Amino acid sequence: MLPYKNLIIIDKTSHIAVFKQIAVQFIGLIQKGKLLPGTKLPSTRALAYDLGLHRKTIMAAYDSLVSEDWIDSLPRKGYIVSPNLPFVKPRSYNSNGLSAYENEPGFIFDSLSSYINPSSPSKKHELIIDDGLPDTSLLSPGIMLAGYRKALDYPTLKKISTGWDLEGSLDFRNSLCHFLNQTRGIDITTENLLTARGAQMAIYLSASLIIKPGDKVIVSDPSYFFANMIFERFGAELIYVPVDHDGMCTEVLEELLKKHSVKLLYVIPHHHHPTTVTMSTARRNELLILIKKYQIAVIEDDYDYDFQFEYAPYLPLASGDHEGNIIYIGSLTKVLGAPFRLGYIVAAKKFIRSAAKQRLLIDLRGDVFTEQVVSGLIENGELTKLIQKANKLYRHRCHFAAELFAKQLGGIVQLTKPNGGMALWLQFKNDFPLAKVIANAKGLKIIGSVYSKERNSNFNAFRFGFASLNDEEIIKAIDILKTTIHK
Amino acid sequence: MLPYKNLIIIDKTSHIAVFKQIAVQFIGLIQKGKLLPGTKLPSTRALAYDLGLHRKTIMAAYDSLVSEDWIDSLPRKGYIVSPNLPFVKPRSYNSNGLSAYENEPGFIFDSLSSYINPSSPSKKHELIIDDGLPDTSLLSPGIMLAGYRKALDYPTLKKISTGWDLEGSLDFRNSLCHFLNQTRGIDITTENLLTARGAQMAIYLSASLIIKPGDKVIVSDPSYFFANMIFERFGAELIYVPVDHDGMCTEVLEELLKKHSVKLLYVIPHHHHPTTVTMSTARRNELLILIKKYQIAVIEDDYDYDFQFEYAPYLPLASGDHEGNIIYIGSLTKVLGAPFRLGYIVAAKKFIRSAAKQRLLIDLRGDVFTEQVVSGLIENGELTKLIQKANKLYRHRCHFAAELFAKQLGGIVQLTKPNGGMALWLQFKNDFPLAKVIANAKGLKIIGSVYSKERNSNFNAFRFGFASLNDEEIIKAIDILKTTIHK
């Protein structure tokens, strides 16, 4: 008899039934070839004694293995490892054998690796510079927990479990609709609204309905990288329009619209990603005229509208006269924090209905639980309070960081203070070894967008998310950068 | 002067700043044409008096409107509605004007409407019969709240905000990996695992990497409707294989594999959707042989594996020898409840990496917050406890419902008691007016899968989710059906 006592380890604190633990470990021994087909197993009595368990437990384990064809029960002979084992190789996915799907070219974004570092665990005391994420310490755990408690209440949970609003839970859409009408100068009903997992899914869904392979899509240069990837995923040909200090250049845009038949325009008028520029009123007006003149579909990505902390916010393009051509996309992720992905699409009813059906295929029910919680935060005013508190803080941090960069790295870093948002766009001269400096900045981990000449980008710049950093951290980050540069 | 006191309503309890409330309402008046271009606005002093507010508040509102070009400030004349208003039409998405994107044929699933009823609010006391959803009352709010409290703790929240594991949060994948290895007879590492929003997104991501337009995909007849829709979305030609009481007919499958070059096979071996049949051991072995012989990619959808409540559970096909060709898909949604969508893909490392990049485009970061919470539930054993508790209960409900149907509607309803899962597949004779009976069943709302001859389906059957119903509700449901049928 094999030393089963050493081969089969029972974890009595585990919540997996003991008989199942035994069965799974027998399967392991068979799979690994330690128990070959035809091998006789110990009697239930002997194994029970050996493992210090009740015999019935061993019988349950054996019965389970018999029913699965791993072992056979021979009359009067006991149990043997099945001689006709259907499964004889290790059930691992790490074999070097070819799998049918692995040969597929698939859909690999090799370019991605230069933008995202697979998250190596941060070293202790390493300061993370993000792409422009909110300060999660602003989120009150108490308020959130009160929301979770309410949503977990049985009648509520039952309601959101069995309800199935294709466009997102009705409670949330009602609250959000009211919030958007109050803050965005638009006039929509819940039928114009679809919820999605962050702005990302909202862009994906919209693009999937609009773009066919070969279609031309205009984006700014640079533009939000992950949106570009979506458009390319659907086979679009991207056409680039430069961005200057007034936003997307509408003069260049018009020339392009004259020349090409364009299907879609993607625009970020507030704190453009990555450059943080806000589009001027003049450009906005020109853009609205072009949209109507050329009748193009427009995705307005307004992901951090709520953070226009300088006086007198701009309203979105969608609040202007666009003859319904603008698909307005926003998100509460920049308010609540990166882990909470509540995006939305505002568009004509028919488009929303189609996008909702498209969403069904990707995310059957949407995040109705978080929607329920956040609906409460909108209703009780906590969301607005959070936005106000954050704006005050981010305004300070924006000025503080911008001024400190000017003071400490004025000759090297070029930046224009944005009128809102959560990040600075730090530009460097063409011959500045940006990627090298970032790699060598000890104690600093840059996880946001980096465009560098060394990586054949047209730009030499990176986004410095200030919103999540306190003064001390901003001082430290700039200090590390300065030290690294002057080394 | 217009009666601004009646036109502009200030909500002092609102958390929107008063100046902003005023500005937004002025924009509304301009948009609606109540204030025409060139109209003189009241002086700040007059309006302040009229509205009972401080003059500075009105000045802030006017400044905001000026900066947005809604109104002009004329030296010594005061404020007028801008004569060159860029925005003159109502900013509504409900206009009948054509929008550029609305003309798109888009992607409309007309067939869908016969499967999903847009959720009309349930009437009070109406009993909901779902497709097979868990009983959410089993989820302990206390345990969930403890998990939420931990995840909201600042260092944890900060960690999951700034961490960016493309395949899902590492903590969760570690726990889940361990859980799957223990319960599924597989041997994987976290690199074989990608999290997704429910099995639905897992199927979508997998299909998006495998299927190209014109590819042939084999599914059972009937099969999970929303999976079929995904395959068709990517341009697949579906080929159907019948399902009998032993599961998918492998003999027919082999004939098809001989004839066609097939790209993908979609199979649900445990409690097949919709028929609830579990595939026999013999068929499983035949299937594994075919998979290797014809080297086809397979999606094994094992959405409710954890609910095999009859003695001796089957292991998934993925635990067999498939040379890595099986993409194994599962979900914790059936354990935790419909609002919590935590699905996963198990596959070869390279495929997982491609699927993760694909997921990035759709759902930038995944639901790391819920992942963090559920990771805790796995670690502290609460998930297994919940599964055990649920299995005991569902086993009882399954038997109770099946036996009551046999007793009360034996001559009309045909059903085979499933060996697990959450629903019964109630079959009716071809000439039975199923859709009519369901529509007329007063007090009953069927929200799950209904296949009816009246709607040109090949089947006349529906899924009766028993897991979420207590004995009393099961009695009531069958009673209502009986009364409706015999009316």
Side-chain angles (χ1 to χ4, degrees), chain A residues 68 91 100 197 281 314 319, chain B residues 68-69 91 197 314 319 325:
Chain A
E68 281 268 325
R91 281 107 191 103
R197 285 209 40 89
T281 306
Y314 286 84
S319 75
Chain B
E68 282 268 324
D69 285 344
R91 280 106 190 103
R197 285 208 43 88
Y314 285 85
S319 75
N325 288 344

Side-chain angles (χ1 to χ4, degrees), chain A residues 15-16 24 27 31 60 63 67-70 86-87 89 91 93-94 98-102 104 107-109 112 119 128 133 136-137 144-145 148-149 152 154 161-162 164-165 182 185 187-188 192 197 200-201 204 208-209 224 226 229-230 233 263 281 285 288 295-297 311-315 318-327 339-341 346-348 350-351 354 357-358 360-367 369 381 384-385 388 447, chain B residues 15-16 24 27 31 60 63 67-70 86-87 91 93-94 98-102 104 107-109 112 119 128 133 136-137 144-145 148-149 152 154 161-162 164-165 182 185 187-188 192 197 200-201 204 208-209 224 226 229-230 233 263 281 285 288 295-297 311-315 318-327 339-341 346-348 350-351 354 357-358 360-367 369 381 384-385 388 447:
Chain A
H15 299 274
I16 312 275
V24 166
I27 292 171
Q31 284 178 332
D63 282 352
S67 83
E68 281 268 325
D69 285 344
W70 289 100
F87 317 131
K89 293 189 195 172
R91 281 107 191 103
Y93 278 89
N94 298 316
L98 291 173
S99 44
Y101 57 82
E102 236 191 336
E104 289 311 306
F107 200 77
I108 314 228
F109 305 105
L112 194 66
S119 63
I128 292 173
L133 296 178
T136 40
S137 73
M144 291 303 286
L145 279 173
Y148 286 118
R149 185 170 292 116
L152 284 167
Y154 181 65
S161 298
T162 52
W164 196 347
D165 300 306
Q182 267 198 314
D187 175 22
I188 57 163
N192 299 114
R197 285 209 40 89
Q200 188 71 28
M201 189 185 278
Y204 183 91
S208 79
L209 292 176
Y224 179 52
F226 291 116
M229 295 214 308
I230 289 174
R233 170 72 183 86
K263 191 61 155 296
T281 306
N285 295 342
L288 284 170
Q295 284 294 315
I296 38 169
Y311 192 60
Y314 286 84
L315 289 176
S319 75
D321 176 21
H322 51 78
E323 294 178 357
N325 288 345
I326 292 180
I327 296 157
F340 308 97
R341 310 203 71 75
V346 170
K350 197 174 141 191
F351 187 81
S354 296
K357 287 177 181 174
Q358 182 68 4
L360 192 67
L361 296 192
I362 298 174
D363 181 9
L364 200 58
R365 276 165 198 266
D367 192 356
F369 187 74
T384 303
K385 270 192 206 163
Q388 285 168 346
I447 62 167
Chain B
H15 300 274
I16 312 274
V24 166
I27 292 170
Q31 284 178 330
D63 282 352
S67 81
E68 282 268 324
D69 285 344
W70 290 99
F87 317 131
R91 280 106 190 103
Y93 278 89
N94 298 316
L98 292 175
S99 43
Y101 56 82
E102 236 190 337
E104 290 311 305
F107 200 77
I108 315 228
F109 307 103
L112 195 66
S119 64
I128 293 174
L133 296 177
T136 41
S137 74
M144 291 302 288
L145 279 172
Y148 285 119
R149 184 171 293 115
L152 284 167
Y154 180 65
S161 297
T162 52
W164 197 348
D165 300 306
Q182 270 199 311
D187 175 22
I188 57 164
N192 299 114
R197 285 208 43 88
Q200 187 71 28
M201 189 184 277
Y204 184 90
S208 79
L209 292 177
Y224 179 52
F226 290 115
M229 295 212 310
I230 288 173
R233 170 72 182 87
K263 193 60 153 299
T281 307
N285 295 342
L288 284 171
Q295 284 294 317
I296 39 169
Y311 191 60
Y314 285 85
L315 289 175
S319 75
D321 176 21
H322 52 78
E323 293 177 357
N325 288 344
I326 293 180
I327 296 158
F340 308 95
R341 310 204 72 74
V346 170
K350 197 174 143 192
F351 186 81
S354 297
K357 288 177 180 174
Q358 182 68 4
L360 193 68
L361 295 192
I362 297 174
D363 181 9
L364 201 58
R365 277 164 197 266
D367 192 354
F369 187 73
T384 303
K385 271 193 207 162
Q388 286 168 345
I447 62 167

Side-chain angles (χ1 to χ4, degrees), chain A residues 207-223:
Chain A
S208 79
L209 292 176
I210 293 171
I211 300 173
K212 289 186 184 39
D215 279 349
K216 287 174 179 148
V217 173
I218 293 186
V219 298
S220 59
D221 183 26
S223 186

Side-chain angles (χ1 to χ4, degrees), chain B residues 213-232:
Chain B
D215 279 348
K216 286 171 179 153
V217 174
I218 293 187
V219 298
S220 60
D221 184 26
S223 186
Y224 179 52
F225 183 71
F226 290 115
N228 284 0
M229 295 212 310
I230 288 173
F231 305 142
E232 286 179 329

Side-chain angles (χ1 to χ4, degrees), chain A residues 122-170:
Chain A
S122 313
K123 282 163 212 142
K124 236 182 167 178
H125 306 304
E126 209 176 35
L127 189 58
I128 292 173
I129 307 300
D130 59 48
D131 201 52
L133 296 178
D135 187 335
T136 40
S137 73
L138 293 175
L139 200 68
S140 153
I143 288 165
M144 291 303 286
L145 279 173
Y148 286 118
R149 185 170 292 116
K150 257 179 135 172
L152 284 167
D153 186 44
Y154 181 65
T156 307
L157 195 59
K158 173 97 182 166
K159 188 183 88 176
I160 62 179
S161 298
T162 52
W164 196 347
D165 300 306
L166 286 194
E167 290 90 0
S169 75
L170 193 59

